[in-house]
Amino acid sequence: MAFALAGIRLPTVRTSRLSARSRFQGGQMAADLAFLSRKPIKVPFLGSSSDADPAYTTVSATGKVLVPGTESDDVPSTLPTSSTEAASSNLQDKVEPDAGQTSTTSELTGAESTSEGDKGSNSSQAKERVEDAEEKPRCVPPPGSGRRIYEIDPLLKGHQSHLDYRYSQYRKMRNMIDQCEGSLDAFSRGYEKFGFERSASGVTYREWAPGAKWATLIGDFNNWNPNTNVMTQNEYGVWEVFLPNHADGSPPIPHGSRVKIRMDTPSGIKDSIPAWIKYSVQAPGEIPYNGIYYDPPEEEKYVFQHPQPKAPKSLRIYESHVGMSSPEPKINTYASFRDDVLPRIKRLGYNAVQIMAIQEHSYYASFGYHVTNFFAPSSRFGTPDELKSLIDRAHELGLLVLMDVVHSHASNNVLDGLNQFDGTDSHYFHPGPRGHHWMWDSRLFNYGSWEVLRFLLSNARWWLEEYKFDGFRFDGVTSMMYIHHGLAVGFTGNYNEYFGYATDVDAVVYLMLVNDMIHGLYPEAVTIGEDVSGMPTFCIPIRDGGIGFDYRLHMAIPDKWIEIMKLKDEDWKMGEIVSTLTNRRWLEKCVAYAESHDQALVGDKTIAFWLMDKDMYDFMALDRPSTPRIDRGISLHKMIRLVTMGLGGEGYLNFMGNEFGHPEWIDFPRDVQHLPNGMVIPGNNNSYDKCRRMFDLGDADYLRYRGMQEFDQAMQHLEDKYGFMTSDHQYISRMDEGDKMIVFERGDLVFVFNFHWTNSYFDYRVGCLKPGKYKALCMQMLHLGPWQQEAMCYGTVICHP
């Protein structure tokens, strides 16, 4: 099976290898061609226990009242794919109307947001405006047949047994969830049942900790007295305590109080931050974090005002990190990002902002990928309400806000993370070596566990519902989908590499469930998966048998550019460039990018640094002479980004600052780190010197960075006008290794790239689909000066009929 990019036949499988810079490294492991089969295990219907006030009720976001202690008659007999028996605390309760109760979660209703960050008024007009804009169904469609993948790619029939098994496991899990929990909608609302839930009569705290022998809630509110609020456990490992309101009606736990759960566990007495905590902070001078009971008064809660934009056909993403988004060496804030960076992103022509490091992470230099508190936005940048204000402002500007979500692994911190939460090695994670990622020094989730599914599905739902994110970029999906985690596995495109014993079917089923939930309940939401393997069916809808992502991050492209830039100019192969950019599966959309955010980190190199190196520090002023290295570097920097956008996918991504060739790397403030394997990672004495993005360089009209930024801006606006990334017409008419020319059509545009280091071409003949006269829409060449109608060395021309 192959697909044609209008004139060039390409394989359906993406051939990808892992560079030395990738996070996927280690020992080789082969994938055998066989499907996974597991014996189902019996699971009883799982109810809840409550020793609280029998009159106590909680309210869901829909306004329905949930009464604890009721059970369903529909009891399935098996749980499909679980290697360990997972106990559930099913709290699916009888629904009774009660207008006197208050909601346990912030309702996503209107609010006013200004660029200055003023609190929005909690007006009925604002609520109606946002509610009218939201037409989100609250049910997930039933599973489809899962058979269309064989029509899309007949080669998949050779692995039908594995794929049919995978889909049957997904269907069984959907059926289990529907029977035990009522629906995937209800199952993904775990945040309304676990953690702290406020009602009219008090606060209930629930936690799943089956390994604990005793538990109590402690905090500022009870002077950390372990005997005041002792919890009770039901037969399925769910601990619960109810705290009634004070006599004057005030809540039993004040907003902003520090809270922890103390447990007697198999590994001893330990104090932990609640797993479902909504906010967590680090006190000055302390190492561990403190869980914070976050429940501000109604008048202080941020209320959204602006509706969420519709997902654009062409996705142009500006990847960002809030903490290092200031020109000053400091940790920036949500408010400053909202006021200073979002307008810049809009002006540059991007239509989406992807934000990293939102989930709380105790180690700042992890780039946000060692998450400790999954439901808490990072307190380094501000409060949860300030994050909401940022998102609302982005929506006002017409920008989608995507979150870089980490469900592939978790921090191994014991005190402020999930690791050994109930004192056991197998609580949220696989026990033993399978539960530890030796390279990332982190824990790996057991996706076959019922309560882990509830936790992760609810986590994705929480960020969409509470904060109104418009979608996710799922981190480390390759690590999830394979038991070998993709470590040092050079995926060649052989289907045996994807469908065999090396595949973690539980993880793939989770990815199907989370995409199912997201696209069913939030049809406009966007999901992007970071997968280096090229897993077939990755971006095919679930009803057709796929995994359900909207886009795959085209990770082979930046690796290829690094490989090419190590060569002399005369050794650049036009065919290799085109092949890498276009090597993607039919009907499976990709987000292309020229360089990874990892390349901006200390010790690595961005494209600009690869091309210009230290000359960037001395020869970027327009009133001073340039150098051949600078001239060549600026031209190739522009060409690499444009050809990547032109051929690489149906979406495009840029990491902040790279649009103008940021001259310095990122270095987070950090101490020396001692890893369990004895490895020592040196620190930088907690320096903030490189924790910044110098946007003023791209804005300065006396520096050459300005021209690079303006070219990137022109790229975005050109795509916005012509929509070439998602055009059906794509035709590559020339890949000339002698002339070093690449010519292709995409949409109504003709792109001509001259990668030759010395030759300029006059009257160069280019074939076009449409006859007639063409006009040059964009032109860049090596030397500054009047635009000419020929492609100079290191030049680009874009024409329109």
Side-chain angles (χ1 to χ4, degrees):
M1 180 70 175
F3 73 94
L5 189 61
I8 178 170
R9 279 183 73 78
L10 301 166
T12 58
V13 183
R14 170 177 155 215
T15 58
S16 170
R17 88 289 174 267
L18 299 168
S19 80
R21 302 177 181 275
S22 173
R23 282 188 293 172
F24 304 110
Q25 300 173 359
Q28 182 82 17
M29 182 175 289
D32 297 323
L33 172 58
F35 65 87
L36 298 175
S37 62
R38 297 189 182 145
K39 295 180 180 179
I41 58 176
K42 301 259 180 162
V43 59
F45 180 77
L46 306 172
S48 67
S49 68
S50 175
D51 294 331
D53 183 342
Y56 161 68
T57 54
T58 61
V59 182
S60 70
T62 59
K64 296 177 180 179
V65 180
L66 303 177
V67 182
T70 59
E71 297 187 355
S72 167
D73 295 330
D74 298 325
V75 184
S77 60
T78 61
L79 207 168
T81 60
S82 178
S83 56
T84 57
E85 187 165 0
S88 168
S89 63
N90 180 56
L91 302 171
Q92 187 67 29
D93 303 313
K94 187 183 298 181
V95 176
E96 296 178 0
D98 187 345
Q101 304 300 322
T102 59
S103 175
T104 61
T105 58
S106 302
E107 292 185 5
L108 298 181
T109 50
E112 171 150 343
S113 169
T114 65
S115 59
E116 290 77 23
D118 296 335
K119 286 285 185 181
S121 62
N122 194 3
S123 64
S124 59
Q125 292 92 341
K127 289 181 179 180
E128 291 172 1
R129 191 154 54 241
V130 176
E131 287 171 352
D132 290 344
E134 292 181 351
E135 298 178 356
K136 301 173 182 175
R138 280 296 180 260
C139 65
V140 181
S145 66
R147 312 293 296 177
R148 187 166 178 262
I149 53 174
Y150 305 119
E151 300 174 16
I152 295 172
D153 184 359
L155 290 179
L156 292 174
K157 291 181 179 179
H159 302 271
Q160 186 169 347
S161 58
H162 176 98
L163 291 165
D164 286 355
Y165 171 78
R166 185 181 82 180
Y167 201 74
S168 71
Q169 297 303 96
Y170 153 74
R171 290 177 63 96
K172 287 179 182 178
M173 188 58 74
R174 274 292 309 268
N175 183 59
M176 281 286 295
I177 291 171
D178 290 344
Q179 292 188 51
C180 287
E181 306 284 346
S183 65
L184 190 54
D185 178 6
F187 190 50
S188 61
R189 292 179 182 271
Y191 49 80
E192 295 178 356
K193 304 166 186 177
F194 287 90
F196 296 94
E197 295 308 322
R198 176 87 179 274
S199 73
S201 54
V203 173
T204 296
Y205 170 56
R206 296 188 185 96
E207 199 74 73
W208 175 59
K213 299 174 251 183
W214 175 86
T216 183
L217 181 64
I218 55 176
D220 294 331
F221 69 98
N222 64 8
N223 295 318
W224 301 91
N225 187 341
N227 300 315
T228 304
N229 300 107
V230 177
M231 305 177 71
T232 60
Q233 184 187 35
N234 71 10
E235 59 183 308
Y236 303 108
V238 176
W239 294 87
E240 181 177 321
V241 65
F242 174 73
L243 289 72
N245 289 336
H246 296 305
D248 61 358
S250 61
I253 309 177
H255 165 60
S257 298
R258 295 177 298 168
V259 290
K260 286 194 175 183
I261 178 174
R262 176 169 294 175
M263 292 175 284
D264 182 5
T265 76
S267 56
I269 300 292
K270 68 187 296 278
D271 294 346
S272 296
I273 295 176
W276 299 71
I277 199 72
K278 305 303 191 300
Y279 194 45
S280 177
V281 302
Q282 186 180 43
E286 293 185 4
I287 294 176
Y289 272 65
N290 290 297
I292 300 297
Y293 178 75
Y294 195 85
D295 185 22
E298 289 297 323
E299 63 272 13
E300 295 181 14
K301 292 181 179 178
Y302 188 87
V303 186
F304 288 92
Q305 180 178 4
H306 303 287
Q308 295 175 252
K310 300 292 185 182
K313 187 177 181 182
S314 298
L315 199 60
R316 301 184 302 277
I317 305 169
Y318 195 85
E319 186 182 19
S320 309
H321 186 290
V322 171
M324 41 151 276
S325 61
S326 170
E328 303 298 324
K330 66 178 184 179
I331 296 180
N332 207 15
T333 65
Y334 294 126
S336 294
F337 188 92
R338 174 197 64 209
D339 297 340
D340 301 331
V341 182
L342 286 179
R344 169 182 297 276
I345 296 170
K346 178 66 175 179
R347 183 173 66 253
L348 287 173
Y350 293 86
N351 55 26
V353 53
Q354 179 179 304
I355 308 181
M356 309 169 62
I358 290 296
Q359 294 168 293
E360 189 59 87
H361 48 290
S362 62
Y363 183 52
Y364 190 40
S366 74
F367 231 156
Y369 292 119
H370 281 201
V371 176
T372 47
N373 309 118
F374 283 77
F375 289 83
S378 181
S379 58
R380 291 181 180 86
F381 318 136
T383 67
D385 287 284
E386 288 170 333
L387 173 58
K388 292 177 181 179
S389 174
L390 182 162
I391 295 170
D392 201 26
R393 172 61 173 153
H395 291 163
E396 182 184 10
L397 293 171
L399 297 171
L400 296 189
V401 187
L402 306 178
M403 177 177 165
D404 201 347
V405 71
V406 184
H407 284 180
S408 51
H409 61 130
S411 169
N412 65 5
N413 290 16
V414 173
L415 295 181
D416 50 14
L418 293 180
N419 189 21
Q420 299 182 37
F421 183 83
D422 69 347
T424 68
D425 187 48
S426 57
H427 185 199
Y428 281 94
F429 311 108
H430 286 291
R434 189 178 176 189
H436 293 263
H437 198 295
W438 61 267
M439 175 169 286
W440 297 350
D441 190 30
S442 55
R443 295 304 310 271
L444 300 171
F445 286 105
N446 177 5
Y447 301 102
S449 166
W450 188 266
E451 288 304 323
V452 171
L453 287 178
R454 186 200 303 276
F455 183 84
L456 294 176
L457 289 169
S458 299
N459 185 242
R461 176 78 176 272
W462 169 254
W463 295 108
L464 295 173
E465 188 79 16
E466 181 72 9
Y467 289 90
K468 304 192 80 154
F469 278 97
D470 301 289
F472 301 106
R473 178 263 201 186
F474 280 82
D475 172 71
V477 175
T478 302
S479 176
M480 297 172 66
M481 293 191 300
Y482 306 97
I483 295 173
H484 54 60
H485 310 301
L487 297 177
V489 177
F491 291 95
T492 65
N494 187 315
Y495 279 23
N496 294 343
E497 297 166 349
Y498 307 112
F499 311 121
Y501 285 122
T503 307
D504 188 335
V505 174
D506 287 343
V508 175
V509 168
Y510 164 68
L511 293 172
M512 295 169 74
L513 288 170
V514 74
N515 276 302
D516 210 8
M517 182 272 293
I518 291 171
H519 291 128
L521 301 178
Y522 306 89
E524 290 294 324
V526 176
T527 62
I528 304 168
E530 186 201 34
D531 171 41
V532 71
S533 74
M535 165 69 81
T537 76
F538 191 75
C539 295
I540 298 296
I542 298 161
R543 64 179 179 274
D544 298 331
I547 297 176
F549 283 98
D550 294 308
Y551 297 87
R552 183 202 315 273
L553 202 62
H554 203 331
M555 299 177 70
I557 297 175
D559 284 349
K560 175 56 70 173
W561 284 124
I562 292 174
E563 179 185 312
I564 289 174
M565 285 185 291
K566 295 177 181 179
L567 304 175
K568 296 179 180 179
D569 289 5
E570 52 266 38
D571 294 329
W572 287 30
K573 303 297 183 184
M574 303 299 101
E576 285 187 11
I577 293 173
V578 170
S579 176
T580 301
L581 292 174
T582 58
N583 192 9
R584 54 190 185 273
R585 295 180 58 83
W586 183 44
L587 297 182
E588 299 195 41
K589 295 186 291 185
C590 287
V591 172
Y593 59 123
E595 53 191 324
S596 165
H597 58 233
D598 291 334
Q599 294 171 234
L601 289 173
V602 61
D604 213 322
K605 285 186 177 182
T606 62
I607 287 178
F609 244 106
W610 275 109
L611 294 172
M612 294 177 279
D613 205 68
K614 59 184 177 63
D615 281 19
M616 297 180 71
Y617 293 107
D618 299 312
F619 301 102
M620 293 297 281
L622 289 172
D623 62 349
R624 297 179 185 177
S626 181
T627 67
R629 175 180 283 179
I630 289 294
D631 289 339
R632 169 186 178 271
I634 289 176
S635 291
L636 284 176
H637 190 272
K638 296 175 182 178
M639 295 174 66
I640 287 170
R641 304 177 82 75
L642 181 58
V643 74
T644 297
M645 174 182 260
L647 278 179
E650 293 74 26
Y652 180 79
L653 178 142
N654 166 67
F655 181 69
M656 66 176 186
N658 287 348
E659 68 275 9
F660 60 85
H662 198 285
E664 290 185 342
W665 53 41
I666 306 158
D667 195 5
F668 292 97
R670 54 195 167 83
D671 283 323
V672 176
Q673 191 180 15
H674 298 272
L675 301 182
N677 60 9
M679 183 179 177
V680 177
I681 301 177
N684 63 3
N685 295 319
N686 284 311
S687 170
Y688 288 83
D689 183 56
K690 298 295 188 294
C691 185
R692 60 181 179 175
R693 293 278 89 179
M694 296 185 289
F695 293 115
D696 51 319
L697 296 179
D699 295 340
D701 56 9
Y702 56 88
L703 296 176
R704 291 181 169 87
Y705 296 106
R706 174 73 173 268
M708 298 165 73
Q709 178 171 284
E710 288 180 343
F711 184 86
D712 191 273
Q713 182 176 7
M715 278 172 43
Q716 309 308 320
H717 287 283
L718 182 75
E719 206 290 324
D720 182 60
K721 180 177 181 180
Y722 292 99
F724 56 82
M725 284 196 302
T726 54
S727 172
D728 291 335
H729 177 60
Q730 303 172 72
Y731 190 90
I732 300 167
S733 59
R734 184 177 292 271
M735 293 179 292
D736 195 306
E737 301 296 350
D739 293 345
K740 298 298 180 186
M741 296 287 288
I742 297 175
V743 181
F744 62 89
E745 297 182 19
R746 200 155 186 197
D748 291 332
L749 305 182
V750 179
F751 294 77
V752 182
F753 289 85
N754 175 16
F755 280 94
H756 206 284
W757 57 100
T758 57
N759 289 353
S760 300
Y761 301 103
F762 298 84
D763 299 322
Y764 200 89
R765 182 170 294 183
V766 174
C768 301
L769 175 67
K770 298 179 180 179
K773 293 184 178 180
Y774 282 69
K775 60 180 179 180
L777 298 178
C778 175
M779 199 171 195
Q780 78 89 23
M781 56 199 68
L782 174 60
H783 300 290
L784 299 175
W787 281 14
Q788 304 174 32
Q789 292 302 309
E790 65 270 359
M792 303 291 288
C793 58
Y794 300 125
T796 304
V797 181
I798 305 175
C799 299
H800 182 267

